[in-house]
């Protein structure tokens, strides 16, 4: 299952549609806290998260997961693609860092890297 965390409902819906169109199950959350408090934490193969959200940010979520030994791959999406943030999340093992609005093919490539299950040759 791929988890999508974004405080913007339209982004959650569009990203969920893309993920489902690839044949994956998806679950959405409006906040990092909602995800962390859900029973789906252990079932998630990949997290797509916004960088800036009210409450816990995507960067703080990554830090929290890593400090608890959780190596779930994370793909970051943001309306404010700051190079400093990109370097920070990349250093902690982010699979992708995409600016909104992101290209569907770029997201597919990130998911492919995260899951290592799909063949992206020629995509």
């Amino acid at each position: 299952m791929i988890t999508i965390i974004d405080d913007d409902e339209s982004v959650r819906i569009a990203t969920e549609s893309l993920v489902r169109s690839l044949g994956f199950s998806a679950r959405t959350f409006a906040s990092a806290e909602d995800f962390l408090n859900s029973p789906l934490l252990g079932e998630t193969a990949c997290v797509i998260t916004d960088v800036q959200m009210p409450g816990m940010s995507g960067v703080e979520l990554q830090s929290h997961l890593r400090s608890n030994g959780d190596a779930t791959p994370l793909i970051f999406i943001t309306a404010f693609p700051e190079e400093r943030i990109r370097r920070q999340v990349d250093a902690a093992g982010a699979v992708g860092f995409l600016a909104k609005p992101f290209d569907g093919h770029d997201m597919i490539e990130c998911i492919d890297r995260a899951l290592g299950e799909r063949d992206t040759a020629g995509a």
Side-chain angles (χ1 to χ4, degrees), residues 47-121:
V47 173
I48 300 168
T49 184
D50 192 6
V51 170
Q52 295 181 340
M53 298 178 284
M56 181 182 277
S57 73
V59 176
E60 291 167 335
L61 172 64
Q62 182 187 40
S63 177
H64 176 83
L65 291 173
R66 296 303 179 255
S67 69
N68 287 308
D70 188 326
T72 302
L74 282 95
I75 299 167
F76 290 88
I77 53 178
T78 183
F80 308 99
E82 298 175 32
E83 190 56 35
R84 176 183 58 83
I85 301 294
R86 176 192 294 272
R87 285 193 303 269
Q88 181 180 348
V89 299
D90 283 351
V95 175
F97 187 87
L98 303 175
K100 295 178 186 175
F102 55 83
D103 181 79
H105 292 292
D106 292 339
M107 178 60 75
I108 292 166
E109 287 177 10
C110 288
I111 292 170
D112 286 341
R113 281 197 303 274
L115 303 180
E117 294 177 359
R118 296 176 58 86
D119 177 13
T120 58

